[in-house]
Amino acid sequence: MKKCDLCNQPAVVHETTVKSGITQEIHLCADCANQAGVVIPGQPKPAEMLQHFVIGPGDVKKRAASRGRRLSCTSCGMTFAEFRRNGTLGCAACYEAFGKHLSALIERAQCGATHHCGKSPHNAGTSIDRQARISKLMRELNSAVAAEQYERAAELRDRLQDLEQEPPTLHTRSSQPSQEERSV
Amino acid sequence: MQSTSGQPNLRGRGPDSDVVMSCRVRLARNVAGFPFVNTATSQQQDELIHLLKNILLNNDLDEKLHWVDLTQSSSRERLLLVERHLISKQHAESEAHRAVALSRDETLSVMINEEDHLRMQVLAPGLQLEDVLTRINEFDDLIENRVDYAYDARWGYLTACPTNVGTGARFSVMLHLPALKITNEIERVRRAAKELQLAVRGYYGEGSESAGDFYQVSNQITLGKTEPEILGEFCERIVPKIIDYERHARRLLLEQNLSHLDDRVHRALGTLRAARLIGAEEAMRMLSRLRLGVTLGRIDGIRLDTINRLFLEVQPSHLQVHAGPGCAGNELREARASLIRSRLP
């Protein structure tokens, strides 16, 4: 089952838009959908239905962003609004607390990059190869989109999704190229 | 602190030093388990200082560092470190409990409790960023063996400002671009740099002016590429183009505007040798013209090292070391003019 883009709960509302051949999906749980003013299947609310019909699905994200401003980090207490004002986060946990809202900002600031693929601490306990493969696929996906190779882009997106769903594995540094690096 | 002659980024002997004054790599790191500096309590800031001081001054480290407690130091001492590019203005003026650790030759410095818990940098004269990256990586590894960094598998090194997240690495070069300034091409460089996601700043970094025709160019993208990839693009593709562009502009001045160039360069030398009162801004402007003349062989008998060193020696806090801490206004301008005349007999 798809998870809510904002809080990771099971999603009940799914919106798919296709623009310039690129498919974009929004998945929201019941609570987040309600907050965003979206009508939940099986729970028709005429007033909200009318409102949603009038404002259009494009505003779902805008409302979600407005909700994002109320987010706060349970570790240091910083709110997303405070971060937007000051430009600095309060602690490492803010990265998780501000989730998708922060990801979108980072992606814009970092020219579309979404994953680290550089140096990592020896004791990080994560798969360096996996991160490198994700980053490589992301770069290939961006290139394919830029070159309007949409079939290739769709294939890369699927591989990326599969890879992202893999649990990270613990392993040591290796100078051998990964299977992904060898085959691409 | 050493005399100004000890600082390597001023000797002008590195590769491409006709255009590249110095190069630098900076890594931003935070210690896991502590809030970032802006939300840390005074007690947590002190704990970080204590923890990092023990690590950085440990005898097991290959790099022998000297510790400066900035909370205890005077504003003049802090400004001296800013003028030497060893700490940022923000670090000098911050109210956090903060410090800086320096190597004896000042090529390596670590700011503690600036925007991030650790901001480490390695400086070198001219363009030699590969060596600089190797050295800072080795130093980073030594620290990493002694403390857990805030790190995330997806985001990499977690930094207070998300624009530094990922590698946390900022590569920068201090470029002397007088010919591009004279030929009004500098705005084109700025625009091109912006399109390539590079930041162009002044002599003292963020928010500073391009005094002496110096421009600090650095990468803005820190995520989605490895450090060698960022370095490769920056050092092999981008910086050489700007260097070639400046050299081309210098050649044009030589070929098409020699008398104008000579006039400008020799007038600058005349001013520097004759002035009895001179402000920092005018001194930097004249020294920039002189440097251009020396690199193009239009002036004999003055070494590039001397001019490079003067750029630092004419700064207010450096002058006050010799002229006295209370020296200001005309007294300071007089001390500056006197120092320049002694260096350019």
Side-chain angles (χ1 to χ4, degrees), chain A residues 52-82:
Chain A
H52 183 59
F53 181 75
V54 172
I55 63 174
D59 280 41
V60 170
K61 276 205 160 175
K62 221 179 267 177
R63 282 168 174 267
S66 146
R67 181 176 175 268
R69 281 193 283 275
R70 293 196 296 273
L71 281 174
S72 67
C73 173
T74 52
S75 182
C76 70
M78 179 169 281
T79 64
F80 192 67
E82 281 173 324

Side-chain angles (χ1 to χ4, degrees), chain A residues 89-146:
Chain A
L89 297 162
C91 69
C94 288
Y95 278 90
E96 197 173 338
F98 300 149
K100 288 256 168 190
H101 303 281
L102 182 60
S103 306
L105 290 178
I106 294 176
E107 206 174 322
R108 266 207 302 277
Q110 298 281 351
C111 271
T114 56
H115 289 80
H116 174 59
C117 62
K119 186 180 178 181
S120 58
H122 301 297
N123 57 356
T126 57
S127 165
I128 297 157
D129 278 355
R130 180 171 168 269
Q131 287 303 318
R133 281 184 290 156
I134 288 175
S135 299
K136 192 168 164 39
L137 284 172
M138 282 301 299
R139 284 202 292 273
E140 286 180 6
L141 177 60
N142 289 338
S143 304
V145 171

Side-chain angles (χ1 to χ4, degrees), chain B residues 21-68:
Chain B
M21 184 85 152
S22 61
C23 63
R24 180 188 77 139
V25 180
R26 182 269 281 152
L27 298 181
R29 300 284 187 258
N30 286 284
V31 179
F34 282 88
F36 294 147
V37 179
N38 62 336
T39 51
T41 61
S42 296
Q43 192 187 339
Q44 286 167 326
Q45 290 172 5
D46 281 341
E47 277 177 48
L48 278 161
I49 293 261
H50 183 70
L51 171 75
L52 295 171
K53 186 177 182 179
N54 280 340
I55 292 169
L56 292 166
L57 299 189
N58 192 310
N59 284 331
D60 296 344
L61 280 190
D62 292 341
E63 302 273 5
K64 298 293 169 238
L65 302 178
H66 169 67
W67 185 265
V68 181

Side-chain angles (χ1 to χ4, degrees), chain A residues 110-183:
Chain A
Q110 298 281 351
C111 271
T114 56
H115 289 80
H116 174 59
C117 62
K119 186 180 178 181
S120 58
H122 301 297
N123 57 356
T126 57
S127 165
I128 297 157
D129 278 355
R130 180 171 168 269
Q131 287 303 318
R133 281 184 290 156
I134 288 175
S135 299
K136 192 168 164 39
L137 284 172
M138 282 301 299
R139 284 202 292 273
E140 286 180 6
L141 177 60
N142 289 338
S143 304
V145 171
E148 300 186 357
Q149 297 168 339
Y150 298 121
E151 270 184 38
R152 167 92 176 136
E155 181 206 329
L156 287 165
R157 183 206 55 207
D158 293 345
R159 281 167 61 189
L160 197 60
Q161 278 175 355
D162 291 346
L163 195 56
E164 281 181 328
Q165 279 160 15
E166 270 179 23
T169 51
L170 207 113
H171 74 132
T172 54
R173 285 168 194 256
S174 161
S175 57
Q176 292 295 313
S178 65
Q179 189 60 44
E180 189 71 40
E181 284 165 331
R182 281 196 294 271
S183 62

